[in-house]
Amino acid sequence: MKQLRRREVIRTGTTVEQMVRAIADMIVTGALLPGEKLDEISLASRFEVSRTPVREALRELGAMGLVGREPNRSAVVTNVTETHLHSMFEAMAELEGICARLSAERMTVDERRALELDHRGSMRLVHSGAEEEYAAHNTEFHTRLYRGAHNDHVFEMVTQTRARLAPFRRAQFRLPGRLAKSYEEHDQIVMAIIRADAVAAGQAAYSHVAIVSDASAVFATAGE
């Protein structure tokens, strides 16, 4: 995976979720390279935890496709290729397009108002260049779209797919100018939903994820 604006991404944590996020960020940004071993003892020492939560974190990273493990062997960083990443984002774009379209048709007045207010409030994060905070807002924004579709089956599929792409969706905000562009893309989705324009909302959401896919491709390896 290619490195971009290398930075310290490890933060001491005691929960599985914190470990998953920290290790995933290291993999995506190239601090850990494909084929590199992930030693449970070293990781347990680094995070000041027992080996049990480390195993759980590696299991979750395996489900994301970022870590592989063969029987009786150490876990290793996998090789996430552009082709594989593109296929996941392609599915994500279709699912988010469905969610935005259904949200435009089904969101209540209160849900539309909350979506717009949350979106407008994120402008301050763009102006201040608050990458971590904007990434958290981004997760909440898209969750509002998923819930606004009022379809439990679609919600389950889209959240599962998002979980696998989460490290790459966070990493995109390290790219220059990406916060402002993300805000503009969100604005198109919000305005279409406010107008109850299902077609425009679906198209805007699909295009948004397609752009995220292109932005995130820099963090994948070039070939198989």
Side-chain angles (χ1 to χ4, degrees), residues 48-67:
E48 301 179 349
V49 296
S50 69
R51 293 175 67 177
T52 299
V54 171
R55 291 194 193 100
E56 177 61 22
L58 293 178
R59 187 193 67 77
E60 292 192 20
L61 289 163
M64 290 180 182
L66 295 177
V67 169

Side-chain angles (χ1 to χ4, degrees), residues 121-134 179-180:
S122 70
M123 176 54 77
R124 63 180 179 79
L125 303 177
V126 176
H127 287 158
S128 62
E131 296 171 8
E132 291 291 332
E133 291 84 350
Y134 189 88
L179 295 187

Side-chain angles (χ1 to χ4, degrees), residues 65-80:
L66 295 177
V67 169
R69 184 198 292 271
E70 295 182 5
N72 302 317
R73 291 178 178 269
S74 298
V76 297
V77 177
T78 57
N79 185 26
V80 180

Side-chain angles (χ1 to χ4, degrees), residues 4 11 28 56 85 97 113 115 133 144 159 173 176 196 219:
L4 186 76
R11 297 174 178 82
V28 169
E56 177 61 22
L85 190 61
R113 183 181 298 112
L115 178 69
E133 291 84 350
R144 288 183 186 276
T159 51
F173 298 122
F219 299 104

Side-chain angles (χ1 to χ4, degrees), residues 32 35 38 47 75 77 108 111 125 132 148 184 187 214 223:
L32 292 172
L38 297 170
F47 288 98
V77 177
T108 66
E111 286 175 326
L125 303 177
E132 291 291 332
E184 293 172 2
D187 198 60
D214 291 340

